[in-house]
Amino acid sequence: MNQPSLSSGSRNVQMARSMCWHCQSEVAGEYFCERCVKVQPVSKETDYFTCLGLPRRLTIDPALLEAKYYERSRAFHPDFYLNKTEAEQAISLDNAATLNTAYRTLRDPVQRAEYLLDLEAGSAKTIRTSPPADLFEEILDLQDTLDAYRAGDHSSETGRQLRARLEAERGALERRQAEMEDELQKLFVEWDALQDRGEADDPSRMERDRLLRRIREILSNRTYVKNIVNDLVETIG
Amino acid sequence: MARIVGIDLGTTNSLVAYMDKGVPRVIPGADGRPMVPSVVAMTDHGLLVGDEAKEHLLRSPDRTVYSIKRFMGKGLADVQSELAYFPYTLTEQGGVIRITLNGKTYSPPQISAMILKELKQRAEAYLEEEITKAVITVPAYFNDSQRQATKDAGLIAGLEVLRIINEPTAASLAYGLQEKTQGTIAVYDFGGGTFDISILKLKQGIFEVLATNGDTHLGGDDIDRRIADLLLDEIRSAYGLDLGPSPDYMQVLRLEAERAKIRLSDELKTLLTVELPDGRGRFTRELTRDQLESLVADLIERTLAPCRSALKDAGLTPQQIDEVVLVGGSTRMPLVRRRVQELFGKQPHCHLNPDEVVALGAAVQADILSGGTTDMLLLDVTPLSLGIETMGGVMSCLIPRNTTIPANAKEMFTTYVDGQTGVDIHILQGERELAKDNRSLARFRLKVPPLPAGVPRIEVTFLIDANGILHVTAKDMRTGRQQSIEVKPSYGLSETEVERMIEESFKFAKEDVASRKLIEARLDAGSLLAATEKSLSEGGHLVPDDVRTAVRAAVSALASAKEGDDVRTIRTRMAELEQTAKPLSVALMDDSLKRGLEGKKLSDVT
């Protein structure tokens, strides 16, 4: 799955030809057989972008995503298969479940990015999930302050000082969160632009790897910071 | 396709509805009213359901079951705190509550099936066709066991349950059909025993549930109990009389409380009256709406936390809700309307009959399933997270709450010990970290071929279908073979038990039909006997003696047949009597004709 040719034109990928389970005629990615009109199972190899009929991009128009989801729900939902055979009902159930998972994953930009990273995997896969190096010391300190504040008397002078420090830290972390979101958005746009160009030369490959690594790094840091901020919010309100 | 009806199987009242040329309509009973009280009475003269059974709540409380929905899919420990309000004997068997009435034991699905059968017969009489398929509604916050129990009830009643649909979403279908609204709506459904909140997006015929929340043990029943408890306390201190241990009087208090509550939705004050036992006189008390409101304020407050959670899960603020729809009888309380209005910052929509809208929505869904309505589609969610117990008694989530259904999750299992032949899996539902704090749904043992540790790879698929009911399948990835698994429900009837109950129910149905035929034959015989006696006294002198004697013999033959219980003999004797008495009726007719003509000219009658 690491060949640029595949990711450049997602339309090619799902065109894998297969046979209709019912009449054995050839079907090519459509969800109803052209000859016998039976519903076709969404292949296990089909990724969520393909499942929703969208190119493999990090920026997706929510309205388009929703429209595609509704359209396919009307095609697959078990409500419309009650008069059909048991085999068709089973396919409709599986397809609808897959479609729902696909929509749920792609609807959220972060989940979408994480899913795409898994699909594109390659060299970016080896990125560590340990805490961000530059944040490590800072966060250890913060954890200590949090513990001290939780254990101590909140109304004492020390308690007030600790609280003030925590509030300042929280502000700093929230700013950092915002910065990360901004950078992520920029990276998404860069990635999509690179995909749109669809070039398979060495510089593009290197640029592609750089973007994936950086996105993965930010996503990992983002989760880390989010957890700390949640802790802070819980403690100091 | 055969007709599918929509059924609202409520805690307090149940209704059945159907789709009439694109318009959902509730089906009235013989009395013209569509609501069937969800009450079942086992009297000495047989089974009663609905209004007739409700009369027995006071007469024979130990044999009259109400609010059975509270027991669906539950074990005895789940309802321990409210046993005092139920005057019949409750036990538990195989994780399912059993109710003993008149010496016979029933499971909650069997009792619910009696209500469903009544609705089925109602629909059959009204639509003049056999009804075998239905959509049945449940509270959105019902867990897997409670949904399965409802499905079982349908099966026992002889109904194929084509879909279990959530009450608030059913209401939204009826609302959407009528109002043709687009946008975000919140359905606040406060019924007799349960509370649900669902937030939906309505767009181009798609009804997408964004989030749902609720409390399956909070409803009008709890409000009635507050008032009843108040009366109980006051009677105790005023008369030194404890009515608590008396099931009959607890029912009296409960019903008086319910009536007062209903009146206080329109009036500012009302009078409660209780006739005390042993000629101790009558207890009366005025209750104002203000007093009621402070008495139950915390109960209404308890509905607001689920509303806030649902909004949060949907990622919306109250201001982003375009319309709030009220469903369920308890939303008639002015306090409920006020609190809802305060929370969402807008006047709730209450143009739909809150008692009927759920059944109407079920009929719409039935029409979608039968292919009648094709432009509407409901995309509902699972209300509770589904997971399995992992090392250390922690729940590992597989399908989070508010996931659109159908939904599935695949999990790979392997072994930790060489030659291990099984893996035990415990399925849970709920939002808590620890397995023990969540609802246990079922357990099963995965069979594994004896191989070195870590070599077997069994893929288990957990699928929540469009009814919100879980299905589990397993596949050995090495052989590619599907494995059948026997899932043992923690709080449900086994398949064999349901089958036995269906059989029993058919047997009863036959007995029911037989006894109904006997009763009808006896009634017919009674009226024939009375008519014959009348004819004999009015026209006996008009026929010869031998005819009179023969008629008298036939009368006594029918009278003794009527005492027996053979329908065929009764019908035969009736035919014989009619035959024998023919000369008598002919004579009577001639006589009256003759008398009618007396004093009239021939030209007047031709």
Side-chain angles (χ1 to χ4, degrees):
Chain A
M1 295 294 284
N2 198 22
Q3 293 130 327
S5 61
L6 284 187
S7 49
S8 64
S10 55
R11 262 155 275 109
N12 309 337
V13 187
Q14 75 276 18
M15 284 309 196
R17 305 204 171 252
S18 58
M19 264 202 302
C20 167
W21 59 274
H22 185 254
C23 71
Q24 272 84 43
S25 60
E26 192 175 280
V27 285
E30 304 94 353
Y31 32 83
F32 296 100
C33 169
E34 273 181 14
R35 193 197 288 172
C36 70
V37 211
K38 298 276 185 214
V39 66
Q40 300 298 311
V42 170
S43 153
K44 283 190 173 46
E45 282 75 45
T46 307
D47 69 75
Y48 295 161
F49 292 92
T50 310
C51 183
L52 279 151
L54 292 165
R56 211 182 269 189
R57 297 290 183 271
L58 284 168
T59 313
I60 296 181
D61 172 17
L64 177 67
L65 178 66
E66 184 189 80
K68 293 275 187 189
Y69 171 61
Y70 285 173
E71 172 209 309
R72 278 158 168 74
S73 290
R74 286 188 186 278
F76 291 145
H77 199 278
D79 277 9
F80 302 130
Y81 286 82
L82 225 63
N83 299 326
K84 302 281 167 68
T85 62
E86 229 169 85
E88 286 166 276
Q89 287 184 15
I91 293 171
S92 122
L93 196 58
D94 272 348
N95 283 3
T98 307
L99 177 68
N100 286 334
T101 313
Y103 182 55
R104 192 183 174 83
T105 309
L106 297 195
R107 193 173 41 180
D108 177 61
V110 170
Q111 276 191 53
R112 186 195 308 152
E114 277 166 354
Y115 177 72
L116 188 124
L117 287 178
D118 277 347
L119 282 182
E120 302 288 341
S123 56
K125 207 170 199 170
T126 52
I127 300 275
R128 49 151 183 73
T129 47
S130 53
D134 57 327
L135 264 175
F136 194 61
E137 288 291 321
E138 203 181 323
I139 278 166
L140 273 184
D141 266 2
L142 187 58
Q143 291 286 16
D144 286 346
T145 319
L146 261 174
D147 288 344
Y149 178 73
R150 282 194 190 116
D153 175 8
H154 293 183
S155 57
S156 72
E157 182 57 32
T158 335
R160 271 196 296 276
Q161 278 172 7
L162 286 172
R163 190 187 170 88
R165 247 172 73 195
L166 289 174
E167 272 164 4
E169 288 284 5
R170 180 178 157 189
L173 284 173
E174 279 171 349
R175 276 192 297 283
R176 204 187 169 102
Q177 274 182 313
E179 283 164 22
M180 284 194 282
E181 294 298 331
D182 283 350
E183 194 187 343
L184 214 45
Q185 282 311 319
K186 276 187 207 119
L187 289 165
F188 286 0
V189 173
E190 279 181 58
W191 167 268
D192 287 352
L194 189 69
Q195 296 301 304
D196 289 342
R197 285 199 298 277
E199 286 156 16
D201 52 4
D202 275 353
S204 321
R205 246 197 301 275
M206 276 167 65
E207 173 63 358
R208 190 176 160 278
D209 277 6
R210 184 191 68 82
L211 287 172
L212 283 179
R213 274 166 185 279
R214 186 62 192 145
I215 291 173
R216 176 146 294 189
E217 200 173 2
I218 295 179
L219 285 180
S220 149
N221 289 3
R222 190 184 165 278
T223 316
Y224 205 77
V225 172
K226 198 169 122 194
N227 288 340
I228 292 288
V229 170
N230 283 349
D231 256 15
L232 273 168
V233 169
E234 234 169 72
T235 312
I236 59 172
Chain B
M1 180 170 207
R3 188 194 291 277
I4 312 171
V5 293
I7 292 177
D8 172 6
L9 184 61
T11 308
T12 327
N13 292 296
S14 298
L15 296 91
V16 54
Y18 74 111
M19 201 72 156
D20 180 18
K21 299 178 203 77
V23 181
R25 297 188 197 287
V26 291
I27 296 178
D31 59 354
R33 286 185 302 159
M35 293 223 274
V36 176
S38 304
V39 183
V40 168
M42 300 287 169
T43 70
D44 292 334
H45 308 290
L47 170 73
L48 294 177
V49 178
D51 282 308
E52 287 171 310
K54 208 173 172 185
E55 286 167 22
H56 283 261
L57 277 174
L58 292 177
R59 250 189 282 162
S60 40
D62 57 332
R63 291 195 261 157
T64 311
V65 187
Y66 70 97
S67 295
I68 188 65
K69 197 171 173 181
R70 289 197 156 211
F71 296 156
M72 295 286 271
K74 294 279 178 80
L76 200 54
D78 299 321
V79 296
Q80 207 61 45
S81 63
E82 50 186 329
L83 287 185
Y85 296 95
F86 295 102
Y88 25 82
T89 314
L90 294 176
T91 49
E92 186 186 294
Q93 194 193 320
V96 176
I97 291 180
R98 311 286 162 149
I99 301 165
T100 306
L101 303 163
N102 241 0
K104 207 174 171 306
T105 301
Y106 303 88
S107 64
Q110 281 174 297
I111 304 279
S112 295
M114 295 168 190
I115 301 165
L116 289 174
K117 259 191 189 169
E118 174 70 25
L119 296 169
K120 177 178 188 276
Q121 283 164 8
R122 223 171 223 230
E124 286 172 343
Y126 186 83
L127 299 169
E128 295 176 346
E129 61 184 80
E130 199 191 2
I131 301 293
T132 56
K133 294 169 195 289
V135 169
I136 303 181
T137 64
V138 296
Y141 219 53
F142 253 23
N143 65 28
D144 184 84
S145 319
Q146 292 167 304
R147 285 165 197 271
Q148 190 60 57
T150 308
K151 214 175 169 191
D152 292 344
L155 281 175
I156 298 168
L159 287 169
E160 191 189 342
V161 183
L162 294 181
R163 178 73 84 245
I164 295 286
I165 157 176
N166 296 329
E167 285 157 12
T169 41
S172 79
L173 285 178
Y175 166 85
L177 188 71
Q178 190 178 318
E179 304 288 330
K180 310 269 178 228
T181 325
Q182 310 265 327
T184 317
I185 67 164
V187 183
Y188 179 99
D189 181 358
F190 198 17
T194 56
F195 169 71
D196 279 326
I197 175 81
S198 286
I199 300 192
L200 295 100
K201 182 151 123 189
L202 274 54
K203 195 173 178 184
Q204 290 146 18
I206 301 264
F207 291 63
E208 186 189 358
V209 180
L210 302 176
T212 194
N213 211 302
D215 187 334
T216 56
H217 234 80
L218 179 63
D221 278 5
D222 299 281
I223 295 171
D224 302 344
R225 280 176 196 172
R226 279 287 167 83
I227 308 173
D229 285 346
L230 176 77
L231 297 178
L232 192 67
D233 282 347
E234 291 183 345
I235 291 171
R236 192 183 290 123
S237 54
Y239 295 83
L241 194 61
D242 189 8
L243 299 178
S246 154
D248 309 30
Y249 275 92
M250 285 302 278
Q251 287 288 23
V252 171
L253 295 184
R254 198 179 65 81
L255 292 171
E256 183 62 11
E258 187 191 5
R259 283 191 293 265
K261 172 191 74 179
I262 292 169
R263 285 196 300 270
L264 285 175
S265 288
D266 297 315
E267 295 155 26
L268 288 173
K269 62 181 184 209
T270 190
L271 205 64
L272 288 106
T273 310
V274 180
E275 295 290 344
L276 299 175
D278 314 323
R280 302 283 288 270
R282 170 188 291 174
F283 173 85
T284 57
R285 181 201 204 281
E286 191 188 76
L287 187 69
T288 66
R289 188 188 284 175
D290 284 349
Q291 285 169 332
L292 171 67
E293 291 186 348
S294 55
L295 198 61
V296 301
D298 63 311
L299 292 177
I300 313 301
E301 211 57 40
R302 263 173 63 194
T303 66
L304 301 180
C307 293
R308 292 190 192 100
S309 304
L311 279 168
K312 189 167 172 242
D313 284 353
L316 295 171
T317 62
Q319 291 72 38
Q320 286 173 297
I321 302 292
D322 297 316
E323 187 91 76
V324 183
V325 180
L326 296 182
V327 182
S330 300
T331 60
R332 288 209 169 85
M333 282 185 78
L335 175 62
V336 172
R337 296 190 171 192
R338 271 200 328 269
R339 299 300 283 125
V340 172
Q341 182 165 353
E342 279 163 25
L343 178 68
F344 290 98
K346 56 185 64 69
Q347 185 104 29
H349 177 103
C350 33
H351 304 310
L352 298 162
N353 181 338
D355 296 320
E356 295 181 358
V357 63
V358 170
L360 295 174
V364 175
Q365 178 65 33
D367 200 47
I368 295 172
L369 296 181
S370 58
T373 302
T374 52
D375 55 339
M376 286 164 86
L377 173 63
L378 179 59
L379 299 171
D380 217 324
V381 300
T382 179
L384 298 156
S385 299
L386 182 93
I388 50 173
E389 180 170 350
T390 55
M391 291 291 203
V394 173
M395 166 161 150
S396 151
C397 179
L398 297 173
I399 300 175
R401 69 165 185 272
N402 291 325
T403 298
T404 308
I405 50 174
N408 63 16
K410 289 182 200 304
E411 192 75 6
M412 198 68 79
F413 291 92
T414 187
T415 51
Y416 294 99
V417 183
D418 289 345
Q420 187 179 336
T421 55
V423 178
D424 290 314
I425 295 175
H426 185 197
I427 311 175
L428 304 158
Q429 212 170 20
E431 311 308 321
R432 305 281 298 274
E433 289 280 316
L434 295 182
K436 67 176 174 60
D437 296 325
N438 290 303
R439 189 71 177 170
S440 167
L441 285 192
R443 291 171 192 274
F444 67 92
R445 190 175 178 83
L446 210 55
K447 279 174 278 178
V448 183
L451 288 166
V455 173
R457 279 167 62 234
I458 314 281
E459 185 190 67
V460 179
T461 303
F462 300 84
L463 172 82
I464 301 179
D465 68 12
N467 303 307
I469 292 178
L470 175 70
H471 303 266
V472 186
T473 49
K475 192 172 164 189
D476 188 330
M477 295 310 274
R478 285 174 53 261
T479 61
R481 261 205 303 271
Q482 202 80 14
Q483 187 185 115
S484 73
I485 27 187
E486 246 176 74
V487 178
K488 194 193 163 299
S490 308
Y491 296 94
L493 299 167
S494 67
E495 241 170 80
T496 25
E497 226 182 333
V498 173
E499 274 161 28
R500 183 176 56 72
M501 287 172 181
I502 295 171
E503 268 170 41
E504 263 181 34
S505 146
F506 276 127
K507 209 172 70 200
F508 284 139
K510 276 193 200 128
E511 280 171 22
D512 287 352
V513 169
S515 62
R516 198 169 65 215
K517 282 195 172 143
L518 179 63
I519 291 166
E520 281 168 5
R522 280 177 178 161
L523 286 173
D524 291 348
S527 39
L528 180 61
L529 285 170
T532 313
E533 287 296 343
K534 192 163 169 261
S535 308
L536 273 175
S537 70
E538 284 173 3
H541 61 282
L542 298 171
V543 292
D545 283 354
D546 59 327
V547 172
R548 232 174 15 246
T549 318
V551 171
R552 290 216 182 280
V555 163
S556 62
L558 175 57
S560 67
K562 186 176 159 253
E563 293 307 304
D565 49 17
D566 187 40
V567 178
R568 188 174 285 215
T569 313
I570 298 174
R571 293 288 176 197
T572 312
R573 297 286 169 270
M574 281 175 69
E576 283 167 7
L577 175 57
E578 276 171 349
Q579 193 60 40
T580 322
K582 214 169 206 164
L584 179 62
S585 40
V586 170
L588 267 170
M589 221 185 299
D590 286 350
D591 187 51
S592 67
L593 205 59
K594 222 183 288 166
R595 266 188 285 155
L597 292 179
E598 268 166 26
K600 284 184 185 165
K601 277 183 258 153
L602 192 62
S603 58
D604 293 337
V605 288
T606 51

